[in-house]
Amino acid sequence: MNELQEKLNVLRDRIREFESCAVAFSGGVDSTFVLQVAHEILDARVVGVTALSESLPAGELEAAQELARRIGARHVVLRTFETQDENYLANAANRCYFCKTEMYARISDFARDEQLGAVLDGLNQDDLQDRRPGRAAAIERGVISPLVDAGLTKAEIRILSREMGLPTWDKPALACLSSRIPHGTPITLQALSRVDRAETYLRKLGVGQVRVRHHGRIARIEVEPKDFSLLRLNEAEINAHLSALGFAEVVLDPAGYRTGNPNSPTAQA
């Protein structure tokens, strides 16, 4: 038995410890994998729960609904209201804590009302290397991270997802829309909508991984280097479209998309 199969068995054994559970389900690579494995083991005793708010990118709710149908799991959508929390809107470095506090409070309440034995998330082993204020909120609510317990990395989860036939195996990384706004700049619903519409437009052009960083009236576009030529080919159209959304200047970040981006306007070229 290879190491990856051993980790998968550890994951399955961990989930078997619960008679039932709710999975915090965004429709991303990790939570989809958790929902798939949990459904294999618990069947109707697992529920995928997606939090819906203004910070969720367009199309992600529909994608999560389709994935849950494909897996065969019950799926519930809960409205969350972090964008009504002044602490969240202040957009300090611990913004994610307030978002996750709201989300896990509502999912935990749902799990209690449904008499589900646990709440699982999609945190993986690699995530422990990042600064994640939202992790504290999960711990406070007793949320279980079975991928961490099994020691599974992002790359390993993608491999196993592909073997299981999950379409998310190569899905680009997800992040809430608020992550496009530099810390210290207050979050507004207008800014979230502007970023969402800009990124939706760019994906329709054929761009894969994309972030539109919101620096006031400046939009800084991050894509993978393979998509640079596509953006340059459509530069005039992109500038016109983003201008119509309210951006006075559009900049292509020469460093390209990268995780852990400090989201600083000094990265402009």
Side-chain angles (χ1 to χ4, degrees), residues 13-29:
D13 288 343
R14 181 69 171 115
I15 293 175
R16 284 191 186 98
E17 295 177 14
F18 311 109
E19 292 186 359
S20 59
C21 70
V23 175
F25 176 56
S26 68
V29 177

Side-chain angles (χ1 to χ4, degrees), residues 42-58:
L42 301 175
D43 196 29
R45 293 171 292 151
V46 60
V47 183
V49 183
T50 300
L52 174 62
S53 77
E54 292 82 359
S55 64
L56 184 69

